[in-house]
Amino acid sequence: MTRRLAKFLSDPAPSRRILALDGGGVRGFLTIEILHRLEAELRRRSGDPNYVLSQYFDLIGGTSTGSIIATGLALGWPVSDVWAAYETIVPRIFGKASGVGLLSPRYKNKPLAEAFEQEFGDRALESPDLDTGLAIFAKRMDRGSAWMMVNNPNWVYYDNKFSDDRFAPNHSFKLRSIVQASAAAPHYFRGVKMKIENVAEKGKKPLDAHFVDGGVGGLNNPALELLTMVRDPAYGFGWQLGADKLYVLSVGTGWIRSVSRAQGIIPRFIEGLFVKQTVNALRGMINDVSLQQVAYLQGLGRTELPWYINSEKEAQHGGGYLGLAGADGAAQPLFQYQRVDVRLEEEADRHGATLPETPSALIGRPLSGSEVRGLDEITNAKPQNLDLLKALGRAAGDRFIRLAPPPERFNPDPWTRTGDAAPAHSRKPAS
C-alpha cells in the first residue's frame, strides 16, 4: 500500500490551498466552466501551458457531482478531461428516466456504476495516481453518520486501528464506489451498498454499508467540513490558520431559492402528492445548510468578493468578524475565503440593486421561467439546458478571475511539486 503523499499532507507548510466543490447533478457543468477559467489563469501565472489544478491545490474535496470532478482533478486530469468525461457520462446517466421516483428511483444505478468504472478503473483511495489530497463526502444510512473519506495516511480510519478489526481499512475502498456513494441522491438513484467487512461474525453474513448522497448529511457544500478536516487532529493534516496561510476556494453549481414551483422532477399528474413535498423539503434543507455555511465562512475569513446572504446580513462586507481578536481588539480573519457561484434567478438587494451574480449581470439578460425551471432540475440533460449552464459558468469564471482571483501570495513555490509529492506518471484507469 502506498504512503506517497503522507509527508506532504501532514507538513505544516507556510501556505496551503483547498478547493471545495458542491453537489448539483448536471449543474456540475457550471462548476467545470468556472474551473476552466481558473486553470487558464494558473497556466498564465506558472508559465506552464499544461499546468493542472492538482498541482496548485493541496486538498480537493467534493460531494455528489462535486466528488466526480474532485476525483478527476486529484488524479491530475486537466479540466478539459473532466469536461470530456461529463460529456460522456451525463447523457448515459440522465438520458431517460426509468421511473417516477415513487416505488423505485427515477434512474438506474448501472449506467452510473459503469461510467465510474470506465473513468476511475480499480483505483483505490490509496492510489499512487492521486497527485494531491482528495476528500469525498457521503451519508451512511445504516449507521446514521456522515462519512468523510480522505487519502491522508495520517487519518485515523485510513488503516485499521487494531489487528483484529473486522472491517476493511478505508484506504482500500475503490474510488468508483465511494464516488457513486457520494452521488446517490435519494429519489433519483438507489443507495449504494459497499461491503466493508473483511470477516463476518461467526454464523452471520457480512453486513453491507448503505450510502447515499453526502448532501443528505448536510455536506452538499463541503467547504466548512474541509476546513474542519485540516484542523481536526483525527485527520492528520495539522495545517496552519491565517489569512496569509490558508486559502479556501468554494465553487457552487448554481444557487436557486427553494420555493414552491413546478420543479419538473416528477410528472405533473403527481405534483400534488406527498412525495413532491418531501423531495422539495429535502432540497430546501440542503440549500439552507449550504447558505448558512457560506455565511459562517465569510464571517470567519477574509473575502475579496463576498456572496450576498440575505437582506438582513447582506454581503457581510468586512467579513472576518467571527475571527479571534488581535492586539488592537479587532477581529482577525482565520483564512482567505472565496465563494464562486451563480444565481439562477434575478435577485436584488434590499435597496433594489440587481445582484452581480444574476443572469442579467453575467450574460446580459434574465432567464425565462422555463429556463429557470430547467436549470432547477438537476437531472436535465437537454442540450439547451447544458449550453445555458456552460454559458453562465464561463461568465462567472471570467468575473471571478477578473475581480477576485487567488491571491498572488498563495502562488506555489515551486509551481510543480517534486519528490514523493511529484505528479504521478500514469493517467489511465487502473485495471
Side-chain angles (χ1 to χ4, degrees), residues 107-310:
Y107 298 92
K108 294 181 179 179
N109 278 32
K110 186 177 179 181
L112 195 67
E114 290 176 344
F116 293 155
E117 182 174 9
Q118 178 180 334
E119 299 298 335
F120 303 133
D122 281 335
R123 293 184 178 101
L125 191 61
E126 66 171 345
S127 173
D129 290 339
L130 290 167
D131 283 344
T132 194
L134 172 66
I136 297 173
F137 302 88
K139 170 75 173 182
R140 185 174 174 185
M141 296 299 290
D142 60 305
R143 291 293 179 90
S145 57
W147 274 40
M148 288 67 72
M149 291 165 276
V150 63
N151 67 329
N152 188 349
N154 302 294
W155 170 37
V156 295
Y157 282 127
Y158 189 81
D159 293 303
N160 286 342
K161 292 182 178 180
F162 307 103
S163 59
D164 59 348
D165 278 344
R166 292 186 296 110
F167 300 97
N170 281 215
H171 68 70
S172 67
F173 293 170
K174 301 294 185 185
L175 291 178
R176 66 173 188 255
S177 297
I178 56 180
V179 169
Q180 185 177 353
S182 180
H187 178 73
Y188 300 105
F189 295 103
R190 195 177 301 280
V192 174
K193 292 182 179 180
M194 289 172 53
K195 293 185 180 299
I196 64 173
E197 288 186 276
N198 280 331
V199 182
E201 294 181 29
K202 187 175 182 179
K204 296 182 179 180
K205 293 182 178 180
L207 294 176
D208 291 330
H210 182 213
F211 292 94
V212 297
D213 194 303
V216 177
L219 302 174
N220 196 65
N221 174 353
L224 183 59
E225 192 61 36
L226 287 167
L227 174 65
T228 302
M229 180 179 286
V230 301
R231 293 293 299 164
D232 190 331
Y235 293 95
F237 288 88
W239 293 355
Q240 301 180 63
L241 289 175
D244 295 329
K245 296 179 179 179
L246 188 62
Y247 175 57
V248 181
L249 175 61
S250 172
V251 183
T253 57
W255 167 259
I256 189 166
R257 289 188 179 276
S258 180
V259 298
S260 180
R261 62 162 61 84
Q263 301 275 5
I265 59 175
I266 52 179
R268 288 185 178 276
F269 72 89
I270 58 171
E271 278 181 2
L273 295 183
F274 186 70
V275 65
K276 179 176 182 291
Q277 300 174 39
T278 303
V279 172
N280 287 349
L282 176 59
R283 296 183 69 193
M285 179 275 293
I286 291 172
N287 274 2
D288 291 344
V289 171
S290 177
L291 187 63
Q292 183 183 56
Q293 290 170 344
V294 173
Y296 286 156
L297 288 165
Q298 288 187 165
L300 289 165
R302 175 191 294 157
T303 302
E304 301 299 329
L305 200 63
W307 182 261
Y308 186 89
I309 303 299
N310 53 35

Side-chain angles (χ1 to χ4, degrees), residues 19-23 60-71 134-138 149 182 214 219-222 226:
L19 176 62
L21 305 174
D22 286 16
I60 304 175
T63 300
S64 195
T65 201
S67 74
I68 306 171
I69 300 171
T71 302
L134 172 66
I136 297 173
F137 302 88
M149 291 165 276
S182 180
L219 302 174
N220 196 65
N221 174 353
L226 287 167

